[in-house]
Amino acid sequence: MEERGTSQPVEELKNVESSLIKLTTNLEELNRRKADALSKMQDLRERINKEGADTVVHRLLGLLESLKALDRQESDVQSRCNENCSKLQTEVNKLEELMLSNNAGDSFSEGFDHSYGESIERLNAAKTELASKLRAIVSLKRQLDDVPSQAELIQYERRFSELYIHIQGKHRQTRKYYATFNALLEIKELMLKETSLLNSINSQFQEAIASTAGRMKLIDSMDGILKGIQQKLERVQIGQEAEQKVCDTLKNKYTAALSEQRQCSSLLKAFQEECAKNERLRSQTSEIPPNREEISDPLLVQ
């Protein structure tokens, strides 16, 4: 009976020690994951500094603050776990002393059961806290994975530039169609006015020729029509002059841009030639071994 009472505390003691070992390994795994997360955050920070993405920076600042809060919580958890580990170690030492002194009895079994229950409760609390910590780390990793990489950003930029060029071409084509439609509509209106004018002249010409007043009235109406046509022609000429000025301005800008492009191309070509010349000189100087005897002071030679 005494051997059974003694073997049961030994088994419970082994279970407590195994739970302590598992808790220690879980803490080491948590520290390792935290170090990996910090290294990934550092890499992301360097990439973001190179790319200059403001929205991603603001988002990562929030993530960094949450990571710092998680680090503080982890340090608190680790300190509490260390305290619990030291307390459990002292209790284990006490239990070993009691087992060695062979004072096992009812009081020993009750104290052991009480300490074992407290250890189990602390172990479960540490497991739940560790699980919440792991969930927070997993969510943080998911948020970091949602941040686009440099290659994705470059691909997005290329696609947006292609879309912008396509939209610009469509816009120019649409403006051209609208200008053609407006010109044709104006030509149609002018032709309708001309047709109606010719029809009215044709219908009233015989009556106007028959009398002097009719002829004068016809001449006056023809003068009014001529003045209207001249005013319309002046307005069209003014619009044409304005369009010609815009066209001349655009041509001057295009000519300036072409000259600037040629200058940039010539400068780039000269820069590339100088770079190639510099590389050749470096290769030649690296191939020539230094001769210390030849590099001497001429005063000493004399």
Side-chain angles (χ1 to χ4, degrees):
M1 188 70 180
E2 290 179 358
E3 291 178 356
R4 185 180 297 173
T6 306
S7 63
Q8 185 176 1
V10 170
E11 292 178 356
E12 292 177 352
L13 181 60
K14 290 180 179 179
N15 291 327
V16 171
E17 289 178 351
S18 65
S19 64
L20 284 173
I21 292 169
K22 289 180 180 179
L23 184 61
T24 305
T25 55
N26 288 328
L27 286 173
E28 290 176 355
E29 182 67 21
L30 184 62
N31 289 326
R32 187 180 63 79
R33 289 181 180 179
K34 185 189 77 171
D36 294 336
L38 287 173
S39 64
K40 289 181 180 179
M41 287 292 292
Q42 186 66 28
D43 295 336
L44 282 173
R45 185 182 295 172
E46 292 177 356
R47 283 163 49 191
I48 286 167
N49 289 327
K50 291 180 180 178
E51 296 170 1
D54 295 333
T55 56
V56 178
V57 169
H58 290 299
R59 187 176 177 185
L60 285 178
L61 286 175
L63 294 176
L64 286 173
E65 291 178 358
S66 62
L67 183 61
K68 289 179 181 178
L70 289 174
D71 289 335
R72 290 194 294 270
Q73 291 178 5
E74 185 181 2
S75 62
D76 296 336
V77 170
Q78 191 171 4
S79 62
R80 288 198 296 272
C81 289
N82 291 327
E83 291 177 359
N84 293 329
C85 184
S86 61
K87 288 180 182 178
L88 290 172
Q89 190 65 37
T90 54
E91 290 179 1
V92 168
N93 293 328
K94 288 179 181 179
L95 289 173
E96 288 179 353
E97 290 176 358
L98 288 172
M99 290 175 65
L100 291 173
S101 62
N102 293 324
N103 290 326
D106 295 333
S107 61
F108 172 72
S109 62
E110 290 177 358
F112 182 78
D113 291 336
H114 181 68
S115 62
Y116 180 71
E118 290 180 353
S119 299
I120 292 296
E121 289 178 358
R122 287 195 294 270
L123 181 62
N124 292 327
K127 284 181 178 179
T128 54
E129 192 170 2
L130 182 63
S132 64
K133 190 78 172 178
L134 289 175
R135 284 195 297 271
I137 290 174
V138 169
S139 65
L140 186 61
K141 283 184 178 180
R142 287 176 182 174
Q143 291 176 1
L144 290 175
D145 291 334
D146 291 336
V147 178
S149 62
Q150 186 177 4
E152 291 175 350
L153 289 173
I154 292 170
Q155 189 175 4
Y156 291 157
E157 185 179 1
R158 189 181 297 114
R159 292 293 179 270
F160 278 123
S161 63
E162 291 176 358
L163 181 62
Y164 176 73
I165 292 168
H166 181 69
I167 290 171
Q168 215 172 13
K170 287 290 184 182
H171 180 65
R172 285 196 298 268
Q173 191 175 5
T174 306
R175 289 183 65 183
K176 183 179 177 181
Y177 289 156
Y178 270 100
T180 306
F181 176 77
N182 292 327
L184 292 174
L185 186 62
E186 190 173 359
I187 290 169
K188 178 185 175 183
E189 290 177 355
L190 291 173
M191 289 179 70
L192 288 174
K193 287 181 181 179
E194 185 179 358
T195 305
S196 64
L197 179 63
L198 290 173
N199 289 328
S200 64
I201 291 171
N202 188 20
S203 62
Q204 297 176 4
F205 183 74
Q206 296 297 329
E207 296 178 358
I209 289 295
S211 62
T212 306
R215 287 196 295 271
M216 294 301 295
K217 187 177 180 180
L218 179 61
I219 292 170
D220 292 336
S221 63
M222 293 299 290
D223 289 335
I225 292 168
L226 184 60
K227 288 180 181 178
I229 292 171
Q230 287 178 354
Q231 290 177 359
K232 184 71 174 177
L233 183 61
E234 288 176 358
R235 286 197 296 270
V236 171
Q237 287 177 355
I238 290 169
Q240 185 181 1
E241 289 176 358
E243 292 292 333
Q244 188 66 35
K245 287 181 181 179
V246 173
C247 184
D248 293 336
T249 305
L250 291 175
K251 283 183 179 179
N252 293 328
K253 288 182 180 179
Y254 180 70
T255 306
L258 282 177
S259 62
E260 188 175 356
Q261 184 180 6
R262 293 192 191 96
Q263 187 177 2
C264 291
S265 299
S266 62
L267 289 174
L268 180 61
K269 186 176 180 181
F271 179 72
Q272 290 175 353
E273 291 177 356
E274 291 296 328
C275 287
K277 190 184 294 183
N278 190 12
E279 290 295 330
R280 288 196 300 271
L281 290 174
R282 281 186 178 180
S283 61
Q284 290 176 2
T285 52
S286 62
E287 290 176 358
I288 297 172
N291 192 357
R292 294 182 179 178
E293 294 180 356
E294 294 179 358
I295 303 172
S296 58
D297 195 352
L299 296 175
L300 295 175
V301 174
Q302 291 176 358

